[in-house]
Structure formats: C-alpha cells, structure tokens
Amino acid sequence: YALHPELRMCGIAGIHHSDATRPVDRDALTRMATSLVHRGPDGEGFHVEPGVGLAHRRLSIIDLASGQQPLCNEDGSVWVTFNGEIFNYLELRDELKARGHVFRTQSDTETLVHAYEEYGLDFVEQLNGQFAFALWDSKQRRLVLARDRVGIRPLYHATLPDGTFLFGSECKALFAHGGVSARIDATAVAQIATLWVSVPPRTAFLGVEELPAGHLMVL
C-alpha cells in the first residue's frame, strides 16, 4: 500500500473547547480516533491538555521508527496531527535547519511545526503537497486547520451548542464523539445528486461542514 496514492492515508481528529480551562473528554477523543482505524492501522497517538485534544491514526510511510503523531516542536508548545504528504519537506527541512531549528525525526510532519514557528500563519505558502492537518499553538491558544489547494485530503468539522469544536478526516469521527448526529441535509443530497459532488462547506449532514480546498481556519 505504500505505493498506491489512494491508500497513503492517515486519520486525524480533535476536540477544541472555547473555554480554555475545560478538560477534554479522553474517551470521546478515543472513540473519534477508533472510528478512523481503517485509515491508520499502524498505531494511534493523542495529545491532550486543558481545552484541546488531538488524535491521530497512523499509516507508516516515512520514518517508521520515530514519526509518531501528534508531533511537537522542541519545547512542546506547538503540536500537529497530520494526514498527507509534504513533497518538498527535504528542501524545507534544510532551510529550517539553516535557520536554527532542531529536528528530532526524519518525518515530513515535523517540518510543519518548525515552518509554523518560522513563518507564522504564512507557513502554508511554503508547503507543496497533499494534506489536511490541525496545528495547536499552546502559547497563543490557537488552533489552525489547513487543507491542500486541490482538496485531495478531506477535513470535516462541526461546532456544538456549548462552543465545542470537533474535526476529523471523516464525518464518522464527528458522529463517534456523540455530540453530532448523522441527520441528512436533504437539500445538500439533492445538490450532490445533481452535480455529483458536494459544494463545500456544505456536506450531506446537517451541522457538519467541510473545510474547502486551499483554505486555512484559525480558532
């Protein structure tokens, strides 16, 4: 499966609370990750702190030994959970190392946290690849979601009435949380039946949106 582009996929999911002191429901986050096990059969990982939880289901392609996710920068202030490939990560890695960044792995994922440190939100302009990821900046209490320009990698999200924000590689990850029901949006289904595609951010489910291709979302 390492050679087939349609099978090179991991699964990401997460929970973000508008109340930064509110603890994340670890069981709910685990359910969200488990719903994506078919996307990442090689392992799972979590990062949880007050107000935010990130999850990852891994399909091992690059740096099999030390590329586990979520992955952080040197001081643990920036975390990322990532699905996809950064095609120019070797060039980015060399540039960032020349600017003083220290890498602990050989994975393309680690270039994301260091590029964010170096370029801020403009770091996405440095990326050549197919990707969907969520990056957490604990110092600024900022969650950043991004999707590649063509929309090869999917990313869905929903906001609950209490301000809880959920995201995942598939809608089923949001349903697994328990706060989102799989209610059909009849208008969206008719749209899909007519055009053969959904029109982001609308999806076939009420209350669930898709981050459009080439978009950045900041909470």
Side-chain angles (χ1 to χ4, degrees):
Y1 55 62
L3 298 179
H4 197 291
E6 292 303 317
L7 295 180
R8 287 200 299 253
M9 59 183 183
C10 296
I12 67 173
I15 300 171
H16 175 272
H17 294 307
S18 54
D19 179 356
T21 65
R22 181 179 172 184
V24 167
D25 185 338
R26 180 65 180 258
D27 290 338
L29 186 62
T30 300
R31 291 195 302 271
M32 294 173 74
T34 300
S35 74
L36 301 173
V37 66
H38 57 286
R39 298 182 67 91
D42 295 334
E44 67 179 4
F46 301 90
H47 172 69
V48 178
E49 62 181 80
V52 71
L54 306 178
H56 187 263
R57 287 297 319 188
R58 187 182 187 203
L59 176 65
S60 300
I61 300 296
I62 298 174
D63 196 358
L64 307 188
S66 61
Q68 293 86 357
Q69 296 186 47
L71 184 149
C72 67
N73 62 343
E74 299 98 320
D75 64 4
S77 63
V78 180
W79 289 83
V80 70
T81 182
F82 166 66
N83 168 34
E85 298 173 273
I86 304 300
F87 303 142
N88 63 330
Y89 82 98
L90 291 175
E91 295 91 334
L92 268 177
R93 178 187 174 90
D94 289 342
E95 179 179 333
L96 292 165
K97 287 177 70 175
R99 292 173 178 261
H101 295 270
V102 178
F103 284 76
R104 294 176 288 107
T105 75
Q106 300 298 318
S107 68
D108 55 346
T109 306
E110 194 174 3
T111 59
L112 298 175
V113 294
H114 295 297
Y116 172 79
E117 288 182 296
E118 185 67 31
Y119 303 110
L121 292 176
D122 290 336
F123 78 118
V124 291
E125 301 297 336
Q126 307 294 321
L127 306 179
N128 175 11
Q130 50 181 18
F131 52 81
F133 62 80
L135 182 145
W136 171 245
D137 180 340
S138 62
K139 291 180 178 179
Q140 298 196 53
R141 305 296 302 176
R142 182 160 70 181
L143 181 67
V144 180
L145 277 69
R147 193 168 175 217
D148 65 76
R149 297 162 182 82
V150 182
I152 297 174
R153 300 296 173 176
L155 190 55
Y156 299 91
H157 60 89
T159 303
L160 307 187
D162 66 357
T164 298
F165 177 84
L166 310 175
F167 67 86
S169 294
E170 298 182 16
C171 297
K172 66 176 62 177
L174 309 184
F175 304 147
H177 173 273
V180 179
S181 61
R183 296 177 299 150
I184 295 297
D185 182 336
T187 300
V189 171
Q191 195 174 61
I192 293 169
T194 302
L195 305 176
W196 291 96
V197 293
S198 61
V199 181
R202 197 167 200 163
T203 70
F205 301 101
L206 290 169
V208 176
E209 294 190 343
E210 179 181 8
L211 184 66
H215 276 62
L216 186 76
M217 175 184 282
V218 181
L219 284 81

